[in-house]
Amino acid sequence: MINYNNNRPFVEGVSLEDIAKAQATPFYVYSQTKITNTFEQLKNSLDSEIFYAVKANSNQSIIKLMASLGAGADVVSVGELERAILAGVEPQKIIFEGIGKTKQDIAFAIEKNIRLINIESIDELERVNEVALNQNKKINIGIRLNPNIDGQTLDKISTGKKTDKFGIDTDKLNELFQVLEVSKNVNLIGISCHVGSQIFNINVFAEIFQTMKANAQIFLDKGYAIKHVDLGGGLGVNYAQDQEILNLELIKNEMNKCYVDVPYKLSFEPGRYLVANAGILVTTVITIKNNGGINYLITDAGMHTLIRPALYKAHHEIESVSGDTEKPINYTIAGPICESSDIFGKNISLPQQQIGNLIIIKDTGAYGKVMASNYNSRGLPKEILVKDNNFFVIHKPLSSTEFINQDHIPEWID
């Protein structure tokens, strides 16, 4: 995503140094061209419907860009649903997922006339039917199945094993059919699954395809007119120079072998894959110190800005914008948060740094700003979108004074 001109880093045609002169760090920068190219490559490779998983990056500019490219939206909360609608996604291209939908959430989705609500438990099916009955409507639903497939990824991002909290266990299909039979205000039109993130093993995708085809046939044999089979997301993203690259052609080959003359359309719901490599986090060195032989660079970004390294032990490539190249030093890059886990990377070889230098944390377009917080009463980062030679601030957070003023003290405290 970053290109260099006379040793100066650029995103598309915009200098990162120029952005940093105009905008205080830390901030996220996204490349619109990179997102567009990745989407088009995926769409052409899989030749299936794409529903962008909004949770990966829920900025309305990103959602609107996805919609302009032809994507629908996969949302997991009413807030994400509102964002998608405000960003211009057609309601009939929105899928409402999530295992914790309240009656109020369901009512809102029904009122917006979205494509379908994906059911994640039998009691949720009863709840959706009840809300639809109260509105005197019959609504489209899908069933998210738990196929008991190990995505061979981190436990914290696994979603398709029997012991995970997501979806309906396929062992409970008979019970599900009994409830569906008496649920007269829902119309079952699809099934779906999602087994986790960062999947690279083609055999896992082949197992997903075969399992979902077999389950779709069970529903068809029961007389349900399944029109859509959603195969989830989880497409592996490269975060390191030596990491393998997902082979989309092999995935397509497995699809072609599995799905021959089926009476339903196939779809995917990628999020990370579309935006992760299109974003970077830019931060400034505010302190340099040595503790116990460890060279620390303390930056103004921290785990409140990007939590993935602290939460998942996730790896992100880190580089500096400048420094003394004749004196490379191994640094531990750390944030200002009062937590020992506030570390971005250890033993990172960089040119010798000075206070005020810019540091780039790469591949942060997914699960970056969207997971940021005001922990330690620190501010959120800005988000900036670059297109060709232009950049635009697409999210300006509240100032510290503004978010502190959201607190209200009751009169009985003197």
Side-chain angles (χ1 to χ4, degrees):
M1 172 182 159
I2 299 174
N3 59 85
Y4 286 86
N5 186 353
N6 294 325
N7 293 321
R8 297 178 63 211
F10 284 73
V11 173
E12 300 194 28
V14 178
S15 163
L16 287 181
E17 294 167 300
D18 288 346
I19 297 177
K21 290 176 183 177
Q23 305 293 333
T25 59
F27 53 75
Y28 284 91
V29 181
Y30 311 124
S31 166
Q32 181 169 327
T33 298
K34 175 66 174 177
I35 293 172
T36 299
N37 290 345
T38 302
F39 178 87
E40 291 179 344
Q41 179 190 28
L42 183 65
K43 176 71 174 176
N44 293 336
S45 297
L46 299 183
D47 191 26
S48 302
E49 287 187 286
I50 302 293
F51 293 87
Y52 170 59
V54 170
K55 65 177 183 173
N57 186 323
S58 61
N59 189 287
Q60 290 181 67
S61 293
I62 303 300
I63 301 171
K64 190 173 185 67
L65 173 59
M66 293 296 181
S68 74
L69 296 172
D74 171 73
V75 304
V76 296
S77 71
V78 163
E80 288 187 356
L81 175 53
E82 288 184 285
R83 282 178 177 269
I85 291 172
L86 288 171
V89 182
E90 297 176 14
Q92 282 299 303
K93 296 189 74 173
I94 299 176
I95 297 172
F96 189 10
E97 310 261 12
I99 66 165
K101 306 181 194 74
T102 66
K103 288 183 179 180
Q104 291 77 14
D105 298 340
I106 294 163
F108 183 83
I110 293 174
E111 290 167 4
K112 296 302 179 182
N113 194 33
I114 65 172
R115 175 189 177 108
L116 61 83
I117 298 174
N118 255 348
I119 305 297
E120 296 226 21
S121 65
I122 292 174
D123 78 278
E124 183 178 270
L125 171 58
E126 295 171 329
R127 189 158 57 248
V128 169
N129 186 70
E130 178 187 347
V131 175
L133 176 62
N134 291 338
Q135 293 194 17
N136 195 29
K137 292 182 178 179
K138 187 168 186 177
I139 63 153
N140 289 335
I141 64 167
I143 300 294
R144 177 172 174 174
L145 299 173
N146 183 316
N148 194 28
I149 293 175
D150 185 352
Q152 298 181 23
T153 184
L154 293 174
D155 284 343
K156 289 185 177 181
I157 52 177
S158 170
T159 60
K161 292 185 291 187
K162 187 183 290 286
T163 52
D164 293 326
K165 67 180 182 179
F166 302 95
I168 296 176
D169 190 333
T170 52
D171 291 343
K172 297 182 179 179
L173 287 184
N174 287 335
E175 182 182 352
L176 173 69
F177 291 136
Q178 290 174 9
V179 177
L180 277 171
E181 189 174 344
V182 297
S183 301
K184 303 302 182 183
N185 286 78
V186 298
N187 179 36
L188 176 60
I189 63 171
I191 62 172
S192 70
C193 76
H194 182 70
V195 306
S197 299
Q198 286 298 84
I199 301 172
F200 288 91
N201 191 329
I202 299 301
N203 293 330
V204 172
F205 288 104
E207 186 178 2
I208 292 170
F209 300 159
Q210 293 290 344
T211 301
M212 290 303 289
K213 180 181 180 182
N215 281 309
Q217 193 60 51
I218 292 172
F219 281 83
L220 291 168
D221 291 343
K222 281 285 184 178
Y224 294 101
I226 298 299
K227 299 178 182 178
H228 308 282
V229 172
D230 191 304
L231 300 169
L235 303 166
V237 168
N238 187 310
Y239 281 101
Q241 294 178 354
D242 59 351
Q243 191 173 4
E244 64 181 308
I245 296 175
L246 184 66
N247 191 321
L248 295 176
E249 184 177 348
L250 292 180
I251 295 177
K252 180 59 177 176
N253 289 342
E254 294 296 334
M255 289 175 62
N256 289 340
K257 286 192 294 184
C258 181
Y259 295 103
V260 180
D261 295 328
V262 293
Y264 43 78
K265 293 183 178 180
L266 302 175
S267 60
F268 289 85
E269 49 187 56
R272 182 196 308 267
Y273 187 86
L274 295 174
V275 294
N277 297 142
I280 58 173
L281 172 60
V282 181
T283 181
T284 299
V285 176
I286 55 177
T287 296
I288 300 175
K289 63 186 298 187
N290 184 294
N291 273 13
I294 298 175
N295 297 306
Y296 283 98
L297 292 183
I298 310 299
T299 62
D300 57 4
M303 61 188 290
H304 65 302
T305 318
L306 175 68
I307 199 173
R308 295 190 72 251
L311 182 62
Y312 300 127
K313 294 183 170 56
H315 171 84
H316 288 270
E317 297 283 317
I318 300 174
E319 60 187 54
S320 61
V321 170
S322 57
D324 187 346
T325 57
E326 294 183 0
K327 297 179 179 180
I329 294 177
N330 283 344
Y331 290 104
T332 289
I333 317 298
I337 295 299
C338 192
E339 299 280 350
S340 295
S341 58
D342 186 22
I343 302 291
F344 290 126
K346 297 180 179 181
N347 295 317
I348 308 298
S349 180
L350 298 174
Q352 186 175 26
Q353 295 297 296
Q354 295 181 352
I355 292 173
N357 284 6
L358 297 177
I359 300 294
I360 299 168
I361 304 176
K362 301 172 74 173
D363 304 314
T364 57
Y367 305 108
K369 162 59 177 63
V370 76
M371 295 179 76
S373 75
N374 290 123
Y375 186 42
N376 284 181
S377 289
R378 293 183 178 274
L380 295 174
K382 290 181 180 178
E383 293 175 282
I384 294 168
L385 185 66
V386 171
K387 177 66 168 71
D388 299 328
N389 297 316
N390 303 304
F391 74 89
F392 190 84
V393 177
I394 59 174
H395 178 80
K396 183 179 180 180
L398 297 176
S399 68
S400 59
T401 300
E402 288 171 329
F403 74 74
I404 289 170
N405 284 341
Q406 292 178 324
D407 293 351
H408 299 284
I409 302 174
E411 295 179 354
W412 63 75
I413 297 179
D414 292 330

